[in-house]
């Protein structure tokens, strides 16, 4: 009995000594209480923001220009407290070495894939921009090794590549330069870094609101499947330096073939645009994510005043959105900056 008691005392001592040492080693975001509210913007700067949530962890990224960095947190309200971890530094010269834009992180077939736009050092122009792919087999994308899979074999130079899966097939959509404008083009994928089959143009600028700022632009496509099976692609229209940079919407019926241009129908007006009343301008380059509780959210960048152009002052904003009874998304109006709102849970 004395021996058992002594053993228990020894175990208690070991726990008392080692537990305080182990606690600091744990990732603080796993134990910190989730904030009840958040305020926009999440960061003072963050053009082309992107968020993906997996197993209760949010991974955030935005355009850095000379590298790709990731932040991870269990609480988006505390995103600013999460360090920016550089996961990719491009080669000094050659393809994909300069002006890294619009990174997107996707979990595909048991691995992480990171898509981004980049140019060739010394050639920061439309003709030299392509979409590149990185692969990482680690569970946590801020760890492991990112391996370049090169540029996707798009038929034209372009920007803002995204991927989505539907009906057991994977698709790639991007914004190529076509003459004096940019369109939306879709392709099937043989794997996360290889396009296969035809590359089909499904939309080009046709409305005046898509031609503000002196350019005819459709860019930043993002896929969204509605609760009734309807298909949607949002996109950013007009030049990013215009206050009227805004989101448009392509829609297709449930069961439609996304490779069929006739299946897609374009909204005549923006579905998410600036709010002078709320002091939010140039709302664009969005993404979608879902909180662990199932609520759908939109992330986008915006300026806090008119005439701020297309600079690093564009900051990341988030807000929840709802679905109408007809199965279409209702993004509402941009929330005012600095106003506490219920945080994602």
């Amino acid at each position: 009995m004395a021996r058992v008691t002594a053993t228990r005392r020894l175990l208690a001592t070991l726990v008392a000594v080692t537990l305080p040492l182990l606690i600091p080693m744990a990732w603080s975001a796993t134990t910190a209480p989730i904030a009840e509210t958040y305020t926009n913007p999440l960061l003072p700067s963050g053009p082309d923001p992107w968020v993906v949530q997996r197993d209760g962890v949010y991974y955030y990224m935005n355009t850095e220009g000379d590298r790709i960095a990731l932040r991870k947190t269990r609480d988006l309200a505390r995103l600013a407290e999460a360090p920016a971890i550089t996961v990719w530094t491009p080669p000094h010269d050659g393809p994909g070495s300069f002006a890294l834009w619009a990174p997107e992180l996707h979990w595909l077939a048991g691995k992480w894939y990171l898509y981004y736009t980049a140019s060739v050092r010394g050639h920061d122009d439309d003709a030299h921009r392509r979409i590149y792919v990185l692969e990482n087999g680690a569970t946590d994308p801020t760890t492991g090794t990112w391996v370049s899979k090169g540029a996707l074999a798009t038929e034209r130079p372009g920007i803002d590549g995204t991927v989505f899966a539907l009906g057991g097939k994977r698709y790639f959509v991007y914004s190529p330069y076509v003459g004096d404008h940019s369109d939306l083009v879709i392709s099937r994928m043989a794997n996360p870094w290889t396009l296969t089959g035809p590359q089909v143009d499904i939309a080009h600028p046709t409305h005046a609101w898509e031609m503000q700022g002196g350019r005819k632009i459709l860019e930043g496509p993002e896929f969204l499947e509605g609760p009734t099976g309807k298909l949607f692609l949002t996109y950013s229209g007009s030049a990013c330096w215009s206050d009227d940079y805004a989101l448009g919407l392509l829609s297709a019926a449930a069961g439609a073939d996304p490779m069929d241009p006739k299946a897609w129908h374009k909204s005549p007006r923006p579905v998410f645009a600036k709010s002078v009343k709320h002091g939010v301008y140039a709302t664009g380059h969005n993404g979608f994510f879902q909180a662990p509780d199932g609520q759908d959210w939109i992330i986008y960048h915006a300026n806090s005043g008119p005439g701020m152009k297309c600079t690093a002052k564009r900051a990341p904003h988030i807000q929840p959105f709802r679905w109408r009874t007809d199965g279409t998304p209702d993004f509402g109006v941009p929330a005012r900056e600095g106003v506490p709102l219920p945080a994602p849970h």
Side-chain angles (χ1 to χ4, degrees), residues 34-101:
I34 303 298
E36 293 302 317
T37 63
Y38 76 97
T39 58
N40 282 320
L42 298 180
L43 299 171
S45 171
D48 310 330
W50 176 261
V51 165
V52 61
Q53 183 267 129
R54 180 171 170 78
D55 297 332
V57 179
Y58 296 97
Y59 299 99
Y60 168 89
M61 57 199 340
N62 58 245
T63 289
E64 303 282 355
D66 61 350
R67 66 192 186 283
I68 297 175
L70 269 171
R71 296 174 187 253
K72 71 173 183 178
T73 181
R74 290 188 181 274
D75 186 358
L76 275 181
R78 293 189 172 94
L79 181 64
E81 300 172 16
I85 302 169
T86 297
V87 297
W88 180 255
T89 301
H92 185 268
D93 298 296
S97 61
F98 186 71
L100 278 63
W101 293 353

Side-chain angles (χ1 to χ4, degrees), residues 272-287:
F272 192 70
K274 70 180 181 183
S275 172
V276 175
K277 178 181 179 181
H278 288 177
V280 183
Y281 297 79
T283 54
H285 203 102
N286 76 290

Side-chain angles (χ1 to χ4, degrees), residues 301-322:
H301 70 218
N303 285 326
S304 59
M308 291 177 62
K309 305 297 183 183
C310 191
T311 72
K313 292 182 179 179
R314 293 170 295 168
H317 296 230
I318 62 171
Q319 61 190 69
F321 67 92
R322 68 181 186 89

Side-chain angles (χ1 to χ4, degrees), residues 102-104 106 108 113-116 131-133 152 161 163 189 192:
E104 285 196 10
H106 294 266
L108 306 171
Y113 290 89
L114 205 161
Y115 299 82
Y116 64 99
I131 297 104
Y132 295 82
V133 189
L152 282 160
V163 300
M189 304 186 84

